[in-house]
Amino acid sequence: MMKSLLLIQSDAVQTAIETADAAAGTGVERITLWNMAMNGGWIMIILALLLILALYIFIERYLTLSAALKGQEDNVFMDNIRGYVHEGNLDEARNLAKQTDTPLGRMINKGFSRLGRPLPDIQAAIENEGKLEVANLEKRVSLVATVASLGPMLGFLGTVTGMITAFQDMAHAGNNISIQTLSGGISTAMVTTVGGLIVGIICYFLYNLLVTRVNKVVFELEVRANEFMDLLHEPA
């Protein structure tokens, strides 16, 4: 009796092993990220292009803002300006500001161009130049925010179109409905939803990094402009 049970168990184990080997040899296709992205259709192509655009703008603006911030955090420029003004050498101070190709340099140069006028006029000229510089620094940053908003919306559009495709396939299949019939549309719906959310999250994060950088540059510009105005208020 015991021997018969052992033989039955041995046969069962052998059958399980053979079944596993047969399954392993069937070569089931593995799902990759690329295959999933391709299931999303044309909407995934648009999302990819928008993400590339946002990344390009982010890198270009981040480098520009970093250069502007570095120029403003350098105390050598303002120290030299202060030294020339104390010595009464305004021409050298203005030449230094004119040769300094930074937002701060252009603001100080604008202030020197208004020397001889009342101090409120000089301050107004510096503030107007500062607004132009900030607008130039913020150029195309809003596009990153636009992509961050469009990403989830396009993903939702893909969800709707995918479900419409699934229902159409269901209607055409009649009584022969199967998982394979519905898988195409549902896959498109899910993949585009995930793709849209990923693009939206990444671009929203990049946008906030740029906004933080711009605010820091604006703060430094205001500090340096106030230093320059204080310098002009000092007695000769």
Side-chain angles (χ1 to χ4, degrees):
M1 181 68 176
M2 183 64 66
K3 185 177 180 180
S4 299
L5 290 174
L6 290 175
L7 288 174
I8 293 173
Q9 290 179 353
S10 178
D11 292 340
V13 171
Q14 184 66 28
T15 302
I17 294 174
E18 291 175 355
T19 303
D21 291 339
T26 56
V28 177
E29 183 181 358
R30 296 181 60 187
I31 299 177
T32 63
L33 291 177
W34 176 256
N35 291 334
M36 290 179 60
M38 289 300 98
N39 289 335
W42 58 272
I43 290 182
M44 293 299 292
I45 298 176
I46 297 177
L47 289 173
L49 293 176
L50 289 175
L51 181 59
I52 292 172
L53 174 64
L55 288 173
Y56 170 78
I57 294 173
F58 170 78
I59 294 173
E60 187 269 334
R61 285 293 90 191
Y62 190 85
L63 293 177
T64 301
L65 291 169
S66 296
L69 189 60
K70 183 179 179 180
Q72 288 153 210
E73 291 178 341
D74 185 8
N75 293 324
V76 176
F77 172 75
M78 287 304 299
D79 290 341
N80 290 335
I81 292 291
R82 188 177 293 104
Y84 286 135
V85 172
H86 287 164
E87 295 170 1
N89 197 348
L90 297 181
D91 290 335
E92 287 295 329
R94 184 172 182 179
N95 287 334
L96 175 60
K98 187 180 297 184
Q99 295 171 3
T100 304
D101 188 20
T102 63
L104 177 61
R106 289 186 284 271
M107 286 176 59
I108 300 302
N109 181 51
K110 178 64 70 173
F112 278 122
S113 68
R114 296 294 189 271
L115 285 181
R117 298 185 181 183
L119 291 178
D121 292 347
I122 298 176
Q123 185 171 4
I126 293 175
E127 289 177 354
N128 290 333
E129 181 66 24
K131 291 177 181 178
L132 293 176
E133 293 296 333
V134 171
N136 185 56
L137 292 174
E138 291 178 335
K139 185 169 57 178
R140 293 187 295 275
V141 172
S142 60
L143 285 176
V144 181
T146 301
V147 174
S149 300
L150 280 177
M153 294 174 65
L154 284 172
F156 180 68
L157 176 62
T159 303
V160 175
T161 56
M163 296 308 297
I164 291 175
T165 301
F167 283 117
Q168 286 179 342
D169 293 340
M170 185 187 303
H172 293 157
N175 295 328
N176 299 321
I177 298 176
S178 63
I179 297 298
Q180 287 76 13
T181 303
L182 303 177
S183 61
I186 295 176
S187 177
T188 299
M190 296 299 100
V191 169
T192 52
T193 301
V194 172
L197 289 174
I198 290 175
V199 171
I201 291 170
I202 292 175
C203 293
Y204 183 73
F205 177 72
L206 298 180
Y207 172 73
N208 280 287
L209 283 180
L210 290 178
V211 169
T212 302
R213 206 71 173 172
V214 169
N215 290 338
K216 190 172 183 179
V217 173
V218 172
F219 174 77
E220 291 292 335
L221 284 175
E222 292 176 350
V223 170
R224 299 305 181 185
N226 289 333
E227 287 182 11
F228 180 72
M229 293 305 302
D230 291 340
L231 181 62
L232 296 182
H233 279 88
E234 293 179 1

